[in-house]
Amino acid sequence: MQDKISDGRSIRRWRRRLADEREEARVYRSLAARRSGEEREILLGLAEAEERHARYWEDLLGDEIGRQRRGQFRMRVLVVLARRFGSVFVLALAQRAESRSPYHYDQDVPASMAADERIHEEVVRALAARGRARVSGSFRAAVFGANDGLVSNLALVLGVIGGNLSSEVVLLTGFAGLLAGALSMGAGEYISVRSQRELLAAATPDPQARAVVPHLDVDANELALVYRARGMDEAEAQRRASALLRQLRSTLPHAHQESDATPETDGGAEASSETSDDHEVVGSGAKAAVSSFAFFASGALIPVLPFAVGLTGVVAIVASVVLVGLALMLTGATVGVLSGAAPLPRALRQLAIGLGAAAVTYLLGVLFGATVG
């Protein structure tokens, strides 16, 4: 009897494993449908691996395979998100799902298949890292701007309330804080990005400098200093410099033409390309300013909304704190999801930091109001 119960539990577990593998394959195929090139091939490779795992459970179940089941709810949600969005957030969620694989303690899973799942996690982690790199600048500005608007304006509003000022003054102060903070954020982000782009431009090697290389009266050691100044170690710099001079001496009549085309003179081109990539990562000052202004303003508007719709007193305060708390948890959870970590701890951390800062300002307002009174 015990063996039958045990067999029944095993069959149910195997069916769940089969359903989950099928769902994971759907996730990767859905993500692949929204991509091209290498990333598409990688995702299709992951889908094929999950389908191979599914066949293992099909073979193990045999005649007990039963009707086709759906996988876990979170995996079904991932399939829907992958089909509609295919964003880095879906990859981050898939990474977290892979990290929670039960295969390493399931006695019915071959060691090779458990190892496969660990490798799948690393593949998804690498793909998600690519996506994070692409959105890191704009995402940082969005989270920082919205969070700063939420916390700073809630703190400002609560500080004024603590000083026993009227709702009209609170509303005016809130909107003034919104506008002042958003303008400050926009201007600061514009200056920051422009300054960074100017620094990158100043560090870009002059491509015309390569044209004079054939006419230099230097030895390899002196030319190697150029490469070392660009970050190469001494041995590599010396190798590159010696090779370049050998090539130039052997083709001296055509040195001008050859020096611009040879791979050995590509140091400046490589550095220029890298600097160009850095420019793309930094983005434009105008876009950074507009996005920072918008995200700060959207965050700073939330604490003021209850007062703007006519609420007053304790009701308005509670509504403002609750709305800001929910928004803080949302931004914290979003950061958690994107980083592939559990969203709830990040949400609670964001909530504690934001409300803690606002509480300090409120207490200062109370103390100041009592002193003035």
Side-chain angles (χ1 to χ4, degrees):
M1 181 67 176
Q2 184 63 36
D3 289 341
K4 290 183 179 180
I5 294 174
S6 178
D7 289 343
R9 288 175 178 170
S10 295
I11 289 171
R12 287 193 295 272
R13 187 175 74 255
W14 297 346
R15 287 173 176 171
R16 286 198 302 271
R17 299 282 189 262
L18 172 59
D20 288 342
E21 292 289 1
R22 287 171 172 170
E23 292 292 356
E24 287 186 32
R26 290 190 189 99
V27 169
Y28 294 132
R29 288 200 176 278
S30 298
L31 287 171
R34 302 182 67 87
R35 282 169 166 74
S36 60
E38 185 183 40
E39 286 194 11
R40 175 183 171 83
E41 294 176 6
I42 293 171
L43 289 164
L44 288 175
L46 286 173
E48 291 170 3
E50 301 297 356
E51 288 164 354
R52 184 177 68 248
H53 292 178
R55 287 193 293 272
Y56 167 81
W57 296 113
E58 290 172 357
D59 295 339
L60 195 61
L61 283 163
D63 294 337
E64 299 292 340
I65 193 169
R67 62 180 178 83
Q68 184 166 330
R69 300 177 49 175
R70 300 301 305 273
Q72 298 180 53
F73 176 74
R74 59 185 173 82
M75 295 306 301
R76 299 203 301 271
V77 171
L78 268 182
V79 172
V80 173
L81 293 176
R83 286 174 178 168
R84 294 184 178 274
F85 303 106
S87 68
V88 64
F89 290 97
V90 180
L91 277 172
L93 289 169
Q95 175 190 331
R96 181 156 175 76
E98 291 285 3
S99 69
R100 293 186 297 201
S101 172
Y103 282 5
H104 64 280
Y105 59 78
D106 192 324
Q107 61 183 1
D108 297 317
V109 175
S112 59
M113 204 158 90
D116 283 352
E117 291 296 323
R118 288 294 177 89
I119 296 302
H120 293 178
E121 179 186 353
E122 294 308 311
V123 173
V124 177
R125 189 194 310 276
L127 288 176
R130 291 185 182 186
R132 291 184 185 107
R134 287 193 292 264
V135 304
S136 60
S138 57
F139 182 73
R140 178 195 62 81
V143 171
F144 178 66
N147 190 71
D148 195 17
L150 286 165
V151 176
S152 63
N153 224 29
L154 177 64
L156 179 63
V157 166
L158 291 183
V160 173
I161 291 171
N164 291 321
L165 298 179
S166 66
S167 296
E168 290 77 11
V169 174
V170 172
L171 185 60
L172 177 60
T173 302
F175 277 115
L178 183 157
L179 185 59
L183 289 171
S184 175
M185 282 286 294
E189 195 71 17
Y190 178 82
I191 293 171
S192 173
V193 171
R194 286 292 299 175
S195 299
Q196 191 170 355
R197 289 178 67 87
E198 289 166 2
L199 288 173
L200 290 172
T204 303
D206 183 358
Q208 295 182 356
R210 287 181 293 162
V212 303
V213 171
H215 307 290
L216 291 176
D217 184 19
V218 298
D219 58 25
N221 289 329
E222 291 174 87
L223 188 57
L225 296 178
V226 178
Y227 291 118
R228 291 175 65 184
R230 290 179 182 169
M232 290 186 189
D233 60 50
E234 183 176 0
E236 176 65 13
Q238 189 66 43
R239 186 193 69 78
R240 289 284 295 272
S242 298
L244 175 59
L245 288 180
R246 281 197 306 271
Q247 184 174 14
L248 290 174
R249 286 164 184 159
S250 65
T251 59
L252 192 58
H254 307 288
H256 271 293
Q257 291 83 356
E258 295 293 331
S259 63
D260 284 340
T262 176
E264 290 297 333
T265 61
D266 278 349
E270 290 169 1
S272 178
S273 174
E274 290 171 3
T275 308
S276 175
D277 291 341
D278 289 339
H279 277 279
E280 293 301 319
V281 171
V282 171
S284 72
K287 288 182 179 179
V290 171
S291 63
S292 292
F293 180 96
F295 283 116
F296 183 96
S298 63
L301 179 63
I302 293 177
V304 186
L305 278 178
F307 300 93
V309 299
L311 298 180
T312 59
V314 176
V315 175
I317 296 172
V318 171
S320 180
V321 171
V322 168
L323 288 174
V324 170
L326 291 174
L328 286 171
M329 292 186 69
L330 178 61
T331 58
T334 302
V335 172
V337 168
L338 189 59
S339 62
L344 184 59
R346 270 61 177 184
L348 295 176
R349 180 182 66 185
Q350 200 91 333
L351 177 66
I353 293 173
L355 294 188
V360 170
T361 311
Y362 175 75
L363 292 175
L364 288 175
V366 170
L367 292 174
F368 184 77
T371 302
V372 173

